[in-house]
Amino acid sequence: MQASSPIEKVWPAAEIVADLKEVRSKAPLTHVLTNIVVTNWTANVLLAAGASPAMVIAEEEVSDFASIAGGVLINVGTITSFDAKAIRAAAIAAQKAGTPWVLDPVAAGALRYRTEIATDLLNYKPTVIRGNASEILALAGASGGGKGVDSTAQSSEAVEIAKELSKRTGAVIAVSGEIDYITDGKETIAVPGGHVLMTKVTGVGCSLGALIASFLAIQKNSLQAAVSASAVFGYVGAKAAQKAQGTGSFAVSFLDELSNLSV
Amino acid sequence: MQASSPIEKVWPAAEIVADLKEVRSKAPLTHVLTNIVVTNWTANVLLAAGASPAMVIAEEEVSDFASIAGGVLINVGTITSFDAKAIRAAAIAAQKAGTPWVLDPVAAGALRYRTEIATDLLNYKPTVIRGNASEILALAGASGGGKGVDSTAQSSEAVEIAKELSKRTGAVIAVSGEIDYITDGKETIAVPGGHVLMTKVTGVGCSLGALIASFLAIQKNSLQAAVSASAVFGYVGAKAAQKAQGTGSFAVSFLDELSNLSV
Amino acid sequence: MQASSPIEKVWPAAEIVADLKEVRSKAPLTHVLTNIVVTNWTANVLLAAGASPAMVIAEEEVSDFASIAGGVLINVGTITSFDAKAIRAAAIAAQKAGTPWVLDPVAAGALRYRTEIATDLLNYKPTVIRGNASEILALAGASGGGKGVDSTAQSSEAVEIAKELSKRTGAVIAVSGEIDYITDGKETIAVPGGHVLMTKVTGVGCSLGALIASFLAIQKNSLQAAVSASAVFGYVGAKAAQKAQGTGSFAVSFLDELSNLSV
């Protein structure tokens, strides 16, 4: 059976621009439970995009907040046993309240503890799962072979597995890489673009997961929401790279370009 | 009774310049217990201003450190039950040692757990309370109506409540907004300036709370200390905005301008 | 007895360039357990240098990860009782697996709790200990007199104590300051360079500790690894300072220059 090539979508396709415009106009409250490496960067990315980030992490607060937020990100990048309780509570509350949420299974496959946590979180029906190829393969039960937080597999290698994972979990799967592949099990969209510098600044992928949560707050079609956020990142990353003098100024330009993107 | 308009103070009023000069010369040790989103930014802001920040957060260490520091910031932005013990210990030690301290009740009103913690901290007599209008209203027992960490009220709406809160708690209240209002219950100072970009970079307000703690270390008049720090921020924010290409370069320029401000 | 002046080494000495080239080519997996102020910055510094950072902090994961990593950094800058268990487990695992590891005893001497923790960690044989003069003096049992996280002693004052500490612990000691002194107890190397702006951005010293861990992964001579990482920092810091407009752009330029350094 010959698989057809996925359709490509890039900025400035009309529906992508419309989604960003909606984020800018609604400033969706986005509940972010992420790793300690990227909290500041992620907040600044969401602010630059026009969303309203809130890093609420206390077990005593996450259930209430996940219920009122427009979207939730759960990223297991530096999860500890203390965080795990709050993260589980947030996932349960999001599912119960019908708040769309994104799971980012950072380094799943490379480390057993977080792989088990990420696998357990599938029970609470994430709306989107975003990861690199190794992480998606690992979460699907295939051998991912990640090296720390970096993927050792190409995103294209994970597409078929991602489709299966989508069918099994009901989540849209977003596989980040040189080309991002996003699938709901039936339809698969390819989002090219970006730049290798995006892998030389920590947290770019993690902040994409958060931005997908913001887009889910204003776009009920989860596949479209994940595609729009990814396409914005691909465009902004490529544009920022043109102005960058190195990795430090790339990060600065990324936020500048994202905040200036006209809709 | 007709309320008189508050007096305005802006950089480079002589007493504000003198205060910054004193911070530069004394490099006051500033003990910062803040949220995980803004730790790095806050440290860099204090360093740019000439203060000496130290993020000491262990329950085993905070009492000793709050006693020897020149000023303490307690910010409940991402407080957990684990942090709460250390934060309470730091407040108690600061009060006992006579170290001036600043309370930043981030998102008070929006979330019950932290509202209760922030309210309890009032027992340990903060020297200054800094927040946006929603947070100050909530801490005063009025309905704040915040949206996550963002205010839904104007700073001017909170002035009268801030005066009452000041009289009740003995703290200077600094209400941040398009215009900052700072009051000790009797006198109220307005600090205009700043730029909307200051709300598009995470942690600008949080770092102002920390800088007030640094200024309290060298200026015994708490109202003046809070006014000086706020005026420095207003000036630097406006100047940085002139050079910014977007939110990323604004943050960079903010630190540049702050570090270069001549006294 | 007349002590001879230490030999100076600076970029671009052949062995230093060769070490950086090896880091770039091997991208050594570097396990970083550091303080919450500098996690993001440290990850970006390692990425700019060409290493592969991973901040794995859960007690359930650190032993496995320290065993497979090329090098480990343990920095006690914001250590809590919760972190202490994971940090101890990581040190034990690194020693057992033969993974080289760096101890950064931030603010040792100024605070008893962390001084005891850092002293206990000496039992697990750090490969390199990096600190400012006050921290090294304190760890050696001498009176360091640090002020918060800043040194009140010159690096040159700590050289003789550092040699003794090296002989006693078996670790290479890297004393950071205006000139860095690095010793294995027998040989002592001076690394001049750098710029005072490196003390005005938080985490520069902390990230040097992490970079030494990356260099240890590819250079078995621990003295040489610490010298190479320090010399890279000295060169990059001085070059970045030429382009900086203040502390904000200095940090950006530091990452740019580090990422662009040709080997």
Side-chain angles (χ1 to χ4, degrees), chain B residues 26-29 34-36 39-41 43-44 47-48 50 52-62 64-65 68 82 251-253 255-257 259-260, chain C residues 36-41 76-83 110-115 147-150 199-203 244-252:
Chain B
K26 297 261 177 71
L29 187 58
T34 193
N35 68 73
I36 58 166
T39 41
N40 182 273
W41 167 259
N44 280 332
L47 286 169
S52 178
M55 278 65 180
V56 174
I57 60 172
E59 194 182 355
E60 293 81 358
E61 298 184 329
V62 290
D64 285 352
F65 207 67
I68 62 162
F82 189 86
V252 174
S253 289
L255 294 176
D256 278 356
E257 295 297 332
S259 65
N260 291 333
Chain C
I36 58 167
V37 187
V38 305
T39 42
N40 181 272
W41 166 260
V76 301
T78 55
I79 196 165
T80 66
S81 58
F82 189 86
D83 308 323
L111 290 157
R112 191 172 54 187
Y113 178 66
R114 67 181 64 197
T115 308
K147 175 194 172 195
V149 298
D150 299 321
T199 67
K200 301 300 177 192
V201 171
T202 197
Q245 308 293 312
T247 59
S249 52
F250 174 73
V252 174

Side-chain angles (χ1 to χ4, degrees), chain B residues 8 10 17 21 24 27 34 41 49 52 68-69 97 113 116 131-132 139 171 185 207 242 257:
Chain B
E8 288 198 355
V10 294
V17 177
K21 194 170 185 175
R24 291 262 164 87
T34 193
W41 167 259
S52 178
I68 62 162
Y113 178 67
E116 288 170 3
N132 63 35
L139 202 59
S207 61
Q242 291 170 7
E257 295 297 332

Side-chain angles (χ1 to χ4, degrees), chain C residues 31 33 56-67 86-87 89-90 93:
Chain C
H31 182 184
L33 295 115
V56 174
I57 61 173
E59 195 182 356
E60 292 81 357
E61 298 183 331
V62 291
S63 298
D64 285 352
F65 207 67
S67 303
I87 278 180

Side-chain angles (χ1 to χ4, degrees), chain B residues 34-257:
Chain B
T34 193
N35 68 73
I36 58 166
V37 187
V38 305
T39 41
N40 182 273
W41 167 259
T42 301
N44 280 332
V45 165
L46 295 201
L47 286 169
S52 178
M55 278 65 180
V56 174
I57 60 172
E59 194 182 355
E60 293 81 358
E61 298 184 329
V62 290
S63 299
D64 285 352
F65 207 67
S67 305
I68 62 162
V72 180
L73 167 72
I74 291 180
N75 173 308
V76 302
T78 55
I79 196 166
T80 66
S81 57
F82 189 86
D83 308 324
K85 289 180 226 166
I87 278 180
R88 193 163 174 273
I92 290 172
Q95 182 189 19
K96 196 174 165 194
T99 309
W101 70 281
V102 178
L103 172 63
D104 190 332
V106 179
L111 291 156
R112 191 171 55 187
Y113 178 67
R114 64 181 64 196
T115 307
E116 288 170 3
I117 289 173
T119 303
D120 173 64
L121 288 170
L122 296 178
N123 293 319
Y124 311 111
K125 300 288 173 197
T127 315
V128 174
I129 302 170
R130 189 217 71 87
N132 63 35
S134 289
E135 292 155 356
I136 297 301
L137 291 170
L139 202 59
S143 174
K147 175 195 173 192
V149 298
D150 298 321
S151 186
T152 54
Q154 295 294 316
S155 53
S156 56
E157 300 173 52
V159 171
E160 292 309 314
I161 299 280
K163 284 184 197 171
E164 287 168 32
L165 184 63
S166 180
K167 282 172 191 159
R168 176 153 64 84
T169 61
V172 163
I173 313 295
V175 189
S176 299
E178 203 175 314
I179 298 173
D180 293 348
Y181 293 97
I182 301 154
T183 184
D184 63 2
K186 297 186 291 287
E187 195 180 356
T188 301
I189 310 284
V191 181
H195 192 277
V196 69
L197 275 169
M198 293 167 87
T199 66
K200 301 300 177 193
V201 171
T202 196
V204 173
C206 294
S207 61
L208 173 56
L211 192 65
I212 293 173
S214 299
F215 274 70
L216 286 169
I218 55 85
Q219 171 55 265
K220 294 303 164 203
N221 181 329
S222 309
L223 181 66
Q224 173 61 29
V227 167
S228 288
S230 300
V232 165
F233 257 51
Y235 177 78
V236 165
K239 202 163 176 203
Q242 291 170 7
K243 303 194 178 169
Q245 308 293 312
T247 60
S249 51
F250 174 73
V252 174
S253 289
F254 189 91
L255 294 176
D256 278 356
E257 295 297 332

